[in-house]
Amino acid sequence: MILVVLVFLGAATVGLRWFFGIEKPAALELPKTAQESTNPADAKAVSAQSLPNHVRREVGKSFTFARGSELRPPGDPSVWIDSLKGAAERGDAEASYSIYLALMDCDMYLKASSPEELQQSRSIGAAPQYEQTVLRKLTECASLDASDMSQIGLWLTKAASQGSIEAQVAYAASPNRILGTEPDEKSEQFREWQGNAIAYLHEAMLKGSIDALANLSNSYMAGVITSRDPIRAYASQLALNEINPNFSSENYRREIAKELSPAQIHRAQELSKKFFTDVTKDAGALQ
């Protein structure tokens, strides 16, 4: 069933293997954007950028996204979207991402409003307020049609390319929005998504995004965005734990460690220091 849970789309707990039995991708060379972002000067520049209000600072420059339960203002979403389009077309990444969130909000609630879904939500004891919210959103979202909803992936792609940190993380965590429900992993479109996704996650991590680091860790284990690499997955989990123990499960780390030799674990421990530095420290602090 679909019980709408309003959390950050693409948060640290998101898994990246959206279908099973996928062929392991070949090793990917980081796209030029990701390679350039590994330069200390670039990291210093991006870390100096202002962050949106819906973030929570952690260690150093690092942060997590902390959106509330509402992804858009109440009322007619088409009015809200129309008010943002001008800024979005002029290159405003947050405007583009806000359009994506408005469409996502309606998409989730439209799916949750089917009689079957509402009946199942009642059967598991969902609060009456939940059904009221679903029905209110259903009424509000009636102003959007199928052509509007088909633009979800386009707006996410646009926001990510314009530099929204949150959109970059969501882009990597939402392949179905970009590629459709049955992506062809051998297609050029799939390869393009892989390259963009790994570049965006590296860029967002260097800007301080803990969500990006967590999604990178998931990527190294899933082997979908890039080649499977348990050493890097374990190293990034160690870095997440160093930032905040709530960001990494001890059981998950233990499961990854089962695949590693003592020498590989030692290598991961050393590599975790770089991950920690990349996500928490400005370039100036490294000199």
Side-chain angles (χ1 to χ4, degrees), residues 2 10 43 74 103 161 180:
I2 301 170
L103 293 172
S161 68

Side-chain angles (χ1 to χ4, degrees), residues 13-283:
T13 56
V14 173
L16 290 173
R17 182 168 290 278
W18 70 99
F19 61 92
F20 297 95
I22 187 170
E23 179 179 327
K24 180 179 178 181
L28 290 176
E29 180 181 355
L30 289 182
K32 188 171 185 289
T33 52
Q35 293 172 339
E36 290 173 345
S37 295
T38 60
N39 294 329
D42 291 336
K44 183 175 182 179
V46 294
S47 68
Q49 294 177 351
S50 60
L51 291 171
N53 294 327
H54 48 269
V55 299
R56 182 178 65 247
R57 283 288 186 185
E58 295 293 338
V59 177
K61 72 176 183 184
S62 69
F63 63 89
T64 57
F65 298 110
R67 282 191 180 273
S69 60
E70 291 291 337
L71 300 182
R72 62 173 177 83
D76 186 341
S78 65
V79 174
W80 170 241
I81 290 171
D82 286 344
S83 73
L84 295 167
K85 282 186 175 178
E89 295 298 344
R90 291 191 296 271
D92 187 325
E94 292 308 312
S96 296
Y97 191 66
S98 293
I99 293 174
Y100 161 74
L101 288 180
L103 293 172
M104 275 294 298
D105 182 68
C106 284
D107 184 60
M108 289 189 299
Y109 278 106
L110 287 171
K111 291 176 180 175
S113 66
S114 71
E116 296 79 11
E117 295 296 338
L118 289 175
Q119 180 58 41
Q120 289 187 32
S121 68
R122 297 183 194 116
S123 70
I124 64 171
Q129 292 82 355
Y130 170 75
E131 186 167 333
Q132 293 170 9
T133 299
V134 170
L135 296 177
R136 173 177 64 82
K137 298 269 190 174
L138 178 62
T139 300
E140 292 177 348
C141 293
S143 63
L144 300 176
D145 58 25
S147 64
D148 295 314
M149 304 309 292
S150 69
Q151 303 297 305
I152 292 177
L154 294 178
W155 283 109
L156 176 58
T157 300
K158 189 179 190 70
S161 68
Q162 290 172 331
S164 165
I165 303 172
E166 197 168 4
Q168 290 175 338
V169 178
Y171 178 98
S174 309
N176 288 348
R177 292 297 180 188
I178 311 301
L179 302 169
T181 56
E182 297 182 1
D184 177 5
E185 66 270 21
K186 296 181 180 180
S187 68
E188 182 61 32
Q189 290 81 4
F190 185 84
R191 296 284 295 180
E192 182 180 358
W193 170 77
Q194 284 181 307
N196 288 338
I198 197 69
Y200 287 150
L201 289 179
H202 275 276
E203 291 175 358
M205 177 188 68
L206 290 173
K207 294 173 185 176
S209 172
I210 293 168
D211 296 281
L213 177 59
N215 273 274
L216 273 173
S217 181
N218 290 339
S219 301
Y220 290 131
M221 281 305 290
V224 175
I225 290 179
T226 188
S227 297
R228 194 170 186 273
D229 190 338
I231 294 176
R232 287 183 175 273
Y234 190 63
S236 49
Q237 285 295 319
L238 291 175
L240 289 166
N241 184 66
E242 181 69 16
I243 295 168
N244 187 325
N246 291 327
F247 296 154
S248 176
S249 162
E250 182 177 355
N251 289 336
Y252 184 45
R253 295 196 303 275
R254 188 179 297 117
E255 286 300 310
I256 301 174
K258 289 178 181 178
E259 299 188 29
L260 305 178
S261 68
Q264 289 173 322
I265 289 177
H266 178 72
R267 180 181 169 192
Q269 290 169 338
E270 291 300 310
L271 184 58
S272 72
K273 298 174 184 178
K274 182 179 188 308
F275 278 122
F276 180 85
T277 296
D278 284 344
V279 78
T280 63
K281 297 185 184 298
D282 289 326

